[in-house]
Amino acid sequence: MKHQELSATAHALVAKNKGILAADESTSTIGKRFAGIKLDSTAENRRLYRELLFTTPGANDYISGVILYDETIRQSTKAGSSFAAYLSQHGMLPGIKVDTGAKPLAGFAGETITEGLDGLRERLAEYGKLGAKFAKWRAVIDIGAGIPSAYAITANAEGLARYAALCQEAGIVPIVEPEVLMDGGHDLQRCEQVTGAVLDSVFTHLFAAGVYLEGIILKPNMVIPGKKCAQKASAEQVAEATLRCLKRHVPAAVPGIAFLSGGQSPTEATLHLSLMNAAGPLPWTLTFSYGRALQEPALLAWGGQSGAFTSGQQALFKRAKLNGLAAVGSYKTSMESTAA
Ligand code: 13P
């Protein structure tokens, strides 16, 4: 029974034309985003901004679920409905970020281990009561001189597997997010090699932990050259390398893969997703679970100004719609100027 429910939730998250809105920035991260528009990061401003996102008219045509942060899942709309209840009533599944962040990995300079396993069973039980149907845990792998180490990959993969098993025990679908960062100077080939090794380790550990693969969503990075790499890749090359890597390393039992945007521009993230979906039949559904690539234009259009609330919502709607089209391979860059 639990397996059936997990699989049904996972499939709902990757329903046709739909993807996930990642709005689970920690208080410190949203503070940085607000600093970019010179807005104070007060609890009320954070609540107001999340209300703008979640109540965007029509967003539920393209958004299947929203990842919330601990503070946000306890907040409500101005009209008094908890965000989790509001989202459920509007056909969007509420999710929750449950890791407590990537911390320095002792003995391995420049590498991190994601924390948050202690007390996770109890926190999941509480989040379940607050309405969460799925969860997210982000492991971070950086590429640089001599890194990632085999140990950092293994330790992070084990953390993801233990988290995923606890989520499924609680009837919550785990989003398994091993993010290979695009910050470095590495090229496309190196990203493909590291992403492949990371995915291999993640699935080895998920299998060892007895995780039910039909009841997870994988949230990987795309295979893309580092931002400081002189050799740029075309959108077609990114799509091709990403698909090759995923086909080699992700079992067909996984119902859906929902990419993070990781620092790609909103239009790049949409184009890459669409090219992959246009490439032919795939063993899993490919969609988006974007944070910045969905929110950046909305945050800028709003700018913290009460008179620009609707402009912010329109900007989010446009990105949600175009990514919804990309999720079925029907996006064209020419739509950027015409989409409402
Ligand atoms: P980005 O799309 O901004 O990378 O965020 C997605 C996310 O949830 C990172 O954990």
Side-chain angles (χ1 to χ4, degrees):
M1 188 55 198
K2 207 166 243 180
H3 276 185
Q4 257 175 39
E5 274 171 37
L6 290 168
S7 161
T9 302
H11 280 95
L13 284 169
V14 297
K16 198 169 175 214
N17 280 310
K18 292 188 183 183
I20 299 165
L21 167 63
D24 59 322
E25 297 82 5
S26 64
T27 303
S28 131
T29 301
I30 199 73
K32 288 180 208 150
R33 306 271 190 270
F34 281 4
I37 57 164
K38 300 199 165 40
L39 181 68
D40 285 345
S41 182
T42 61
E44 172 52 20
N45 282 340
R46 293 192 292 273
R47 191 205 64 76
L48 182 63
Y49 174 58
R50 267 65 181 250
E51 174 154 356
L52 178 157
L53 298 176
F54 308 159
T55 62
T56 291
N60 51 3
D61 285 345
Y62 306 105
I63 304 286
S64 57
V66 179
I67 318 175
L68 307 170
Y69 182 60
D70 180 76
E71 177 188 65
T72 322
I73 202 170
R74 301 171 196 283
Q75 289 178 323
S76 301
T77 63
K78 211 169 171 191
S81 175
S82 79
F83 281 140
Y86 179 90
L87 291 169
S88 298
Q89 281 155 15
H90 291 79
M92 295 178 277
L93 295 169
I96 181 76
K97 168 194 174 79
V98 299
D99 67 74
T100 54
K103 308 285 161 59
L105 179 62
F108 290 80
E111 299 195 277
T112 60
I113 179 74
T114 297
E115 296 189 348
L117 287 171
D118 288 355
L120 182 56
R121 175 177 279 124
E122 291 73 21
R123 289 196 292 128
L124 285 167
E126 189 199 3
Y127 288 137
K129 287 194 190 110
L130 290 170
K133 298 286 181 249
F134 69 102
K136 180 191 110 170
W137 177 289
R138 173 174 176 258
V140 183
I141 301 292
D142 204 357
I143 301 180
I147 64 168
S149 62
Y151 182 70
I153 293 177
T154 305
N156 277 290
E158 185 172 13
L160 280 166
R162 290 182 58 196
Y163 139 82
L166 282 163
C167 285
Q168 291 193 335
E169 179 189 89
I172 288 177
V173 166
I175 291 193
V176 173
E177 180 179 6
E179 175 172 6
V180 177
L181 296 175
M182 57 182 282
D183 294 341
H186 55 275
D187 61 13
L188 185 86
Q189 285 74 20
R190 175 96 171 112
C191 181
E192 182 170 352
Q193 180 224 337
V194 172
T195 302
V198 167
L199 290 174
D200 242 20
S201 185
V202 166
F203 282 100
T204 299
H205 284 85
L206 290 173
F207 184 74
V211 171
Y212 175 61
L213 293 186
E214 290 83 348
I216 72 164
I217 298 294
L218 178 71
K219 176 165 175 167
N221 52 285
M222 292 185 194
V223 172
I224 206 164
K227 278 188 178 156
K228 295 184 204 124
C229 178
Q231 223 182 317
K232 302 293 170 216
S234 68
E236 288 74 16
Q237 286 171 320
V238 169
E240 190 188 343
T242 305
L243 278 184
R244 180 171 55 226
C245 187
L246 294 173
K247 283 180 182 169
R248 284 179 177 166
H249 300 285
V250 183
V254 173
I257 298 176
F259 291 104
L260 60 94
S261 60
Q264 299 178 54
S265 73
T267 51
E268 278 170 347
T270 309
L271 179 59
H272 290 153
L273 176 63
S274 195
L275 288 175
M276 284 186 249
N277 276 312
L282 298 168
W284 357 253
T285 301
L286 283 192
T287 189
F288 57 92
S289 175
Y290 296 157
R292 285 162 285 178
L294 278 170
Q295 292 187 47
E296 256 169 26
L299 188 63
L300 286 175
W302 174 51
Q305 306 296 317
S306 55
F309 196 82
T310 307
S311 307
Q313 293 192 324
Q314 283 164 350
L316 176 69
F317 178 77
K318 175 177 170 182
R319 292 263 52 93
K321 179 177 176 179
L322 294 179
N323 282 301
L325 289 168
V328 289
S330 309
Y331 164 83
K332 301 275 174 295
T333 45
S334 58
M335 295 172 177
E336 290 292 340
S337 50
T338 53

